[in-house]
């Protein structure tokens, strides 16, 4: 039966130079090339979703309760976009 022990060599032997920085050999980016989140894509999708929510107010409904919910959700989505942008404004992307 195969052993389940992990071999640790120590030193720099278990570090892979990926070009950007030296990472441990068990880091996902060392095996797959890149990992992270596509922040600009998420922001763009959130802004599109908020605009879509606001555009759904145009319709044949007579009550305004639906409008208030749509506005509340759109403001919530935009809050997270602005908050994320504000928190990451000084970081290098």
């Amino acid at each position: 039966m195969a052993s389940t022990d992990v071999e640790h060599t120590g030193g720099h032997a278990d570090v892979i130079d990926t070009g950007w920085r030296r990472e441990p050999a068990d880091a996902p980016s060392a095996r797959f090339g890149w990992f992270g989140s596509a922040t600009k894509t998420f922001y763009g999708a959130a802004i599109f979703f908020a605009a879509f929510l606001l555009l759904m107010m145009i319709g044949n409904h007579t009550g305004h309760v639906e409008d208030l919910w749509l506005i509340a959700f759109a403001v919530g989505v935009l809050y997270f976009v602005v908050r994320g942008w504000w928190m990451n404004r000084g970081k290098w992307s």
Side-chain angles (χ1 to χ4, degrees), residues 47-64:
I47 291 170
F48 172 79
F49 182 68
F52 178 73
L53 287 173
L54 293 175
L55 286 173
M56 285 190 345
M57 292 188 333
I58 302 170
N60 61 354
H61 58 279
T62 57
H64 293 291

Side-chain angles (χ1 to χ4, degrees), residues 31-84:
R31 291 191 303 270
F32 301 115
W34 178 81
F35 71 98
S37 61
T39 308
K40 291 180 183 178
T41 304
F42 293 151
Y43 289 163
I47 291 170
F48 172 79
F49 182 68
F52 178 73
L53 287 173
L54 293 175
L55 286 173
M56 285 190 345
M57 292 188 333
I58 302 170
N60 61 354
H61 58 279
T62 57
H64 293 291
V65 175
E66 298 91 353
D67 293 343
L68 295 175
W69 278 101
L70 290 171
I71 291 170
F73 279 118
V75 167
V77 168
L78 291 176
Y79 165 76
F80 284 108
V81 170
V82 170
R83 180 182 170 268

Side-chain angles (χ1 to χ4, degrees), residues 7-31:
E7 180 181 335
H8 294 285
T9 58
H12 291 288
D14 59 346
V15 176
I16 295 176
D17 187 5
T18 59
W20 288 94
R21 68 176 199 202
R22 298 182 68 80
E23 298 180 350
D26 60 345
S29 64
R31 291 191 303 270

